[in-house]
Amino acid sequence: MNEQRLSLAQILAPLSRALDLAAGHPDGHAVRSCLIGMRLAEAIGMDEERRSHLYYALLLKDAGSSANAACVAELFGADDHAVKRDLRTTDWSRFVNAALHRIRNAAAGRSVLHRFAGVARLGLAGSDAGRALARIRCERGARIVRSLDFPDEAASAVSCVDEHWDGEGHPDGLRGHSIPLLARVASIAQTTEVFVAQRGLGDAVDVLAARRGRWFEPRLVDEVLGWASDESWWNLVASPDADQAVLEVEPRGHLRSVDQRGINRIAEAFAGIVDAKSPYTSGHSRGVARQAVAVAEELGLDARARLDVYRAALLRDLGNLGISSRILDKPGPLSAQERAEVRRHPAYGWEILERVRAFDSFSRTAALHHERLDGTGYPWRLGAADLDVVTRILSVADVFQALTARRPYREPMPATAALAILERERGTAFDPSIVAALSAAVLADAEGVLGAA
């Protein structure tokens, strides 16, 4: 019997909300951009195969946004999400507008002296800094698209989505028809969505007209402007029905599906997106997954449970994409407000994961990895009765991996010290059998390394 395959669109469309978080977009931005882009592609006569490539490029266009988050936060001395959000409505290819963006965002919320120093620092960095940040995002996004077995045409749409028709875009300054067609469509689709969602259709029409021939290919602008009176369609794009509508516009002749291995690759890709948010979390999610699966094996869990452990471990921190890098990478103690924001990340992740039917068996579990047996965890302060074995494994593996990794406020701990901390909370915060299984797995791993040496 062949293994059941699942709709790829039904997995990636809801997961695109995690990329909205990373890029500072309102929830559902990628889905709405996809609807706009697919209508435009059909209107200009794009064939079904290319529309299929465009469809997934639009859902994944911000896959690289987390990779430059720390750099943006450090350069501006401000919340990376706020900086990016403001940039989306700025005509940044014009010097005056770019300068005003720097003034608005440099060290936002801090003293006048800090803000002045921040603007000066950005001035010294110049336009090359913006191009470098765009390159990080675009190239990383394209690599992720390729890692999911999409063709180069889809990857190129992601890597060139910020190029402009007049050659003033980023990262390579491509001009006119040297910009891939899919990227040209994706570019106008995302900008249209941003202005419709934030300022209304009227403003979006004005922006497209003003950027016709500069940012965007004229014929594409003219096509989209022709829909301005189609009120019912724009209402659909803005409604909750957009989630179903985006599934229905996937080209029928090129429906994509995935098997269980493919789902693992998606989880691995999104774990990498999460870990790219901070220079201190490179490989963190894979490390937690490795430790969690080792514990599951020590406990004798069956193959289905081990699979849930693996996927939940990879995706448990998805909500971190919505936390400012200024908080995640802060070298000193967090304020009460910052701690409260960090403690929201499991809820952010849960709101995304619960939309993916293929994740039903572990989505809630993944969101509970900071809960504790004695009710001292967060964000829901649940206790032992509410925490299944998978959740208990995740909580222990997550703490162990965090303690043994470098953080902005401390060096990594030796494995023995991390295990000692877990041991002290054994039976209160953590399940004794899980702590014991982790200790056994860590010891076995250490002996394996010594044996190999």
Side-chain angles (χ1 to χ4, degrees), residues 5-10 12 38 48-53 55-56 59 150 244-259:
R5 296 180 67 86
L6 302 172
S7 164
L8 182 57
Q10 289 182 2
L12 289 183
M38 294 307 290
E48 263 207 342
E49 183 176 13
R50 297 186 85 188
R51 278 191 281 129
S52 175
H53 303 337
Y55 180 85
Y56 287 101
L59 291 177
F150 292 106
Q244 180 59 37
V246 81
L247 300 178
E248 294 170 358
V249 299
E250 183 182 9
R252 298 293 94 185
H254 291 81
L255 298 178
R256 281 180 169 260
S257 61
V258 289
D259 57 14

Side-chain angles (χ1 to χ4, degrees), residues 295 298-299 372-374 384 387-389 392-393 395-396 419 421-441:
V295 170
E298 284 284 335
L299 295 172
R372 299 292 182 258
L373 298 183
D374 58 4
L387 307 180
D388 63 13
V389 65
R392 297 177 185 211
I393 291 172
S395 65
V396 170
L419 290 173
I421 289 174
L422 290 169
E423 189 67 31
R424 286 200 294 271
E425 298 192 63
R426 174 177 174 159
T428 52
F430 305 115
D431 188 313
S433 65
I434 306 297
V435 175
L438 177 66
S439 296

Side-chain angles (χ1 to χ4, degrees), residues 158-183:
V158 172
S159 65
C160 299
V161 71
D162 286 330
E163 300 288 355
H164 294 168
W165 183 253
D166 63 0
E168 296 298 320
H170 291 160
D172 295 315
L174 301 180
R175 179 187 298 271
H177 288 95
S178 66
I179 305 170
L181 175 60
L182 270 59

Side-chain angles (χ1 to χ4, degrees), residues 16-33 58 61-62 65 80-82 84-89 137 162 190-191 193-195 197-198 321-322:
S16 72
R17 283 175 153 77
L19 308 183
D20 296 340
L21 273 182
H25 286 302
D27 184 56
H29 162 78
V31 164
R32 294 187 293 272
S33 296
L58 283 162
K61 67 184 181 63
D62 289 312
S65 284
D80 50 299
H81 300 108
K84 292 179 178 184
R85 189 159 45 246
D86 187 35
L87 188 65
R88 297 298 180 191
T89 54
R137 182 177 69 82
D162 286 330
Q190 71 173 4
T191 300
E193 193 289 328
V194 164
F195 280 92
Q198 296 186 34
L321 293 172

